[in-house]
């Protein structure tokens, strides 16, 4: 009984936090006009909707089966629940891949290129693809029974393995389906995310170094006595911001891989070792993947300054102290061209040594970590 109560509390906490977090993200974008102007946030809202459906339509039935150790809803609903599981979790992963690609175009390309590539129509097509593509590896093959071709006898044996009248919702896959599903749902998005974030970090680091050199050049034109101390301070500041940027990327990719890699590795290996993976290990890997739906609002929204402000406004009933005074704060105005091209900043502000507003290395790297994405 203590183990069962601990399991119920843990599963309930995961579902509750996932529901509340994803709902808060969706409400924040609906209520905040500035958040609706940022293209990346449309992917985040769609991601939150997919994760919300996972926590409402998939997790509860999995938790009931895990606690009671049998399935009470019939074979047809077992297929529907399994199809929803594959559909929604794959959609969630594909949204993470689209967010990485959106940030890649926003940071590694010039603003004009980003506007041409990330048009509203292309954003809508990418979001639509995140929902349509998983259909071809979920409802279509599962409802047609393609995943069980050649292993029907094994599924029937495992469904009644305990020797009683109770049944289990067993989802076993043959080798072709395991490889196809895993490649589409995990391995291809993983490769794209790694390449995109690696290129983002290299580009942001190069921009930060360029801006630091321009700042030192501007400082040398002024007082030479304070130039050395200023250069050391800027160098240390750039190293801190680069370290923070690297940690942010490590957190994003680390959480994604930690949550989903065990499941998809097991999913590929199990058919080749005669389905000998223990049920408890399967359940642990599956719920570790579900936890990613709880972490996504934290990684992609709660770490965003604009989202945090919107959350405070919602949770604190719209207190004025949390409302933004302006779109970019009280500092000097800054555009996407200024962020992506330092020469434009020098032309606009040649006599102020590139102020510590949004033209600094800190703003660039924080922006690349989704603090201030390029607006529409």
């Amino acid at each position: 009984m203590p183990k069962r109560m601990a399991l119920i509390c843990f599963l309930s906490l995961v579902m509750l936090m996932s529901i509340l977090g994803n709902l808060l993200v969706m409400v924040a974008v609906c209520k905040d006009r500035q958040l609706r102007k940022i293209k990346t946030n449309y992917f985040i809202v769609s991601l939150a909707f997919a994760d919300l459906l996972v926590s409402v339509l998939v997790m509860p039935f999995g938790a009931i089966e895990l606690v009671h150790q049998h399935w009470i809803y019939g074979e047809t609903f077992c297929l529907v629940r399994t199809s929803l599981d594959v559909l929604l979790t794959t959609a969630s992963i594909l949204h993470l891949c689209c967010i990485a690609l959106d940030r890649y175009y926003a940071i590694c390309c010039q603003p004009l290129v980003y506007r041409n590539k990330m048009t509203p129509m292309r954003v809508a097509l990418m979001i639509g693809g995140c929902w349509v593509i998983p259909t071809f590896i979920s409802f279509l093959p599962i409802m047609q029974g393609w995943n069980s071709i050649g292993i029907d006898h094994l599924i029937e044996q495992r469904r009644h393995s305990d020797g009683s009248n109770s049944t289990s919702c067993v989802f076993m896959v043959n080798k072709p389906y395991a490889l196809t599903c895993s490649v589409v749902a995990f391995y291809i998005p993983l490769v794209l995310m790694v390449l995109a974030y690696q290129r983002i970090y290299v580009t942001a680091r190069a921009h930060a170094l360029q801006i630091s050199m321009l700042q030192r050049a501007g400082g040398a034109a002024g007082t030479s006595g304070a130039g050395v101390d200023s250069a050391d301070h800027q160098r240390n500041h750039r190293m801190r911001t680069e370290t923070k940027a690297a940690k942010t990327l490590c957190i994003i990719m680390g959480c994604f891989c930690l949550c989903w890699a065990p499941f998809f590795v097991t999913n590929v290996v199990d058919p080749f070792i005669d389905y000998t993976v223990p049920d408890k290990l399967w359940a642990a890997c599956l719920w570790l993947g579900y936890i990613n739906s709880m972490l996504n609002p934290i990684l992609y929204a709660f770490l965003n300054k604009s989202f945090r402000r919107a959350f405070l406004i919602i949770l604190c009933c719209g207190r004025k102290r949390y409302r933004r005074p302006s779109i970019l704060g009280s500092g000097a105005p800054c555009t996407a061209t200024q962020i992506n091209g330092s020469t434009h900043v020098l032309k606009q502000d040649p006599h102020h040594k590139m102020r510590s507003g949004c033209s600094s290395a800190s703003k660039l790297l924080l922006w690349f970590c989704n603090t201030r994405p390029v607006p529409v």
Side-chain angles (χ1 to χ4, degrees):
M1 183 59 67
K3 291 183 179 180
R4 177 172 292 187
M5 291 302 299
L7 179 63
I8 292 174
C9 292
F10 172 74
L11 299 180
S12 301
L13 180 64
V14 172
M15 289 186 287
L16 181 62
M17 291 184 63
S18 179
I19 292 173
L20 294 180
N22 289 292
L23 271 179
L24 192 58
V25 171
M26 297 172 65
V27 172
V29 176
C30 291
K31 293 180 68 68
D32 194 305
R33 185 172 60 89
Q34 296 299 330
L35 290 178
R36 293 196 299 270
K37 291 183 177 181
I38 301 172
K39 295 177 182 178
T40 307
N41 292 343
Y42 288 99
F43 294 107
I44 294 178
V45 170
S46 187
L47 168 66
F49 182 64
D51 290 331
L52 178 65
L53 292 181
V54 170
S55 58
V56 172
L57 300 179
V58 177
M59 291 187 192
F61 299 103
I64 293 173
E65 183 186 17
L66 192 61
V67 171
H68 292 285
Q69 296 298 317
H70 64 274
W71 182 257
I72 60 176
Y73 301 103
E75 183 178 352
T76 302
F77 191 74
C78 173
L79 295 177
V80 174
R81 182 256 176 187
T82 303
S83 301
L84 284 173
D85 189 350
V86 177
L87 170 67
L88 297 175
T89 52
T90 303
S92 178
I93 294 173
L94 293 182
H95 279 91
L96 301 181
C97 181
C98 286
I99 291 173
L101 295 177
D102 176 78
R103 292 179 179 180
Y104 168 78
Y105 285 121
I107 296 170
C108 299
C109 303
Q110 294 297 322
L112 184 60
V113 176
Y114 176 77
R115 295 190 188 98
N116 291 336
K117 286 186 175 294
M118 285 300 166
T119 60
M121 179 59 68
R122 184 162 296 183
V123 171
L125 289 175
M126 291 176 66
I127 293 177
C130 291
W131 289 99
V132 173
I133 293 175
T135 306
F136 294 100
I137 61 172
S138 58
F139 275 93
L140 180 62
I142 293 174
M143 299 304 290
Q144 296 294 327
W146 297 347
N147 63 293
S148 60
I149 296 177
I151 57 172
D152 300 273
H153 61 289
L154 296 176
I155 295 177
E156 195 64 26
Q157 290 176 3
R158 187 165 296 188
R159 185 175 295 153
H160 304 281
S161 60
D162 56 358
S164 63
N165 293 328
S166 62
T167 60
S168 301
C169 182
V170 178
F171 180 56
M172 297 175 63
V173 296
N174 50 32
K175 295 177 182 179
Y177 181 83
L179 292 174
T180 303
C181 178
S182 300
V183 168
V184 174
F186 178 73
Y187 291 104
I188 291 179
L190 175 65
V191 171
L192 293 177
M193 290 173 67
V194 170
L195 293 177
Y197 282 130
Q198 186 271 340
R199 185 60 183 170
I200 286 171
Y201 178 70
V202 170
T203 302
R205 186 176 182 181
H207 285 183
L209 180 61
Q210 182 183 15
I211 292 174
S212 178
M213 294 175 60
L214 292 172
Q215 287 176 330
R216 287 199 299 269
T223 58
S224 58
V228 177
D229 294 337
S230 177
D232 292 338
H233 174 74
Q234 292 166 3
R235 188 181 302 109
N236 294 332
H237 179 69
R238 180 171 61 86
M239 291 178 63
R240 287 195 300 269
T241 53
E242 287 181 2
T243 302
K244 183 176 181 179
K247 288 180 179 179
T248 303
L249 289 184
C250 289
I251 291 173
I252 292 175
M253 289 304 304
C255 289
F256 174 71
C257 294
L258 179 64
C259 290
W260 280 118
F263 174 81
F264 282 101
V265 170
T266 306
N267 191 51
V268 172
V269 172
D270 191 38
F272 292 92
I273 58 174
D274 297 328
Y275 306 94
T276 56
V277 176
D279 293 338
K280 292 184 178 180
L281 180 59
W282 265 117
C285 293
L286 182 61
W287 275 91
L288 190 60
Y290 290 160
I291 290 175
N292 188 245
S293 296
M294 179 188 70
L295 295 178
N296 284 335
I298 300 175
L299 296 177
Y300 292 90
F302 284 87
L303 296 181
N304 186 307
K305 184 178 179 181
S306 300
F307 268 102
R308 288 200 305 270
R309 184 184 292 111
F311 295 156
L312 290 173
I313 293 174
I314 295 172
L315 297 176
C316 299
C317 302
R319 293 181 182 176
K320 294 182 180 180
R321 57 180 291 190
Y322 298 117
R323 296 186 180 276
R324 58 169 62 84
S326 65
I327 296 177
L328 293 176
S330 58
C334 174
T335 64
T337 308
Q338 288 174 315
I339 295 175
N340 285 298
S342 56
T343 55
H344 297 280
V345 179
L346 289 178
K347 290 179 181 179
Q348 285 192 349
D349 197 4
H351 301 295
H352 290 78
K353 302 178 184 179
M354 298 184 62
R355 300 175 186 176
S356 59
C358 44
S359 59
S360 65
S362 175
K363 276 292 183 182
L364 175 68
L365 290 176
L366 290 178
W367 173 77
F368 118 79
C369 295
N370 200 22
T371 299
R372 177 64 63 183
V374 175
V376 178

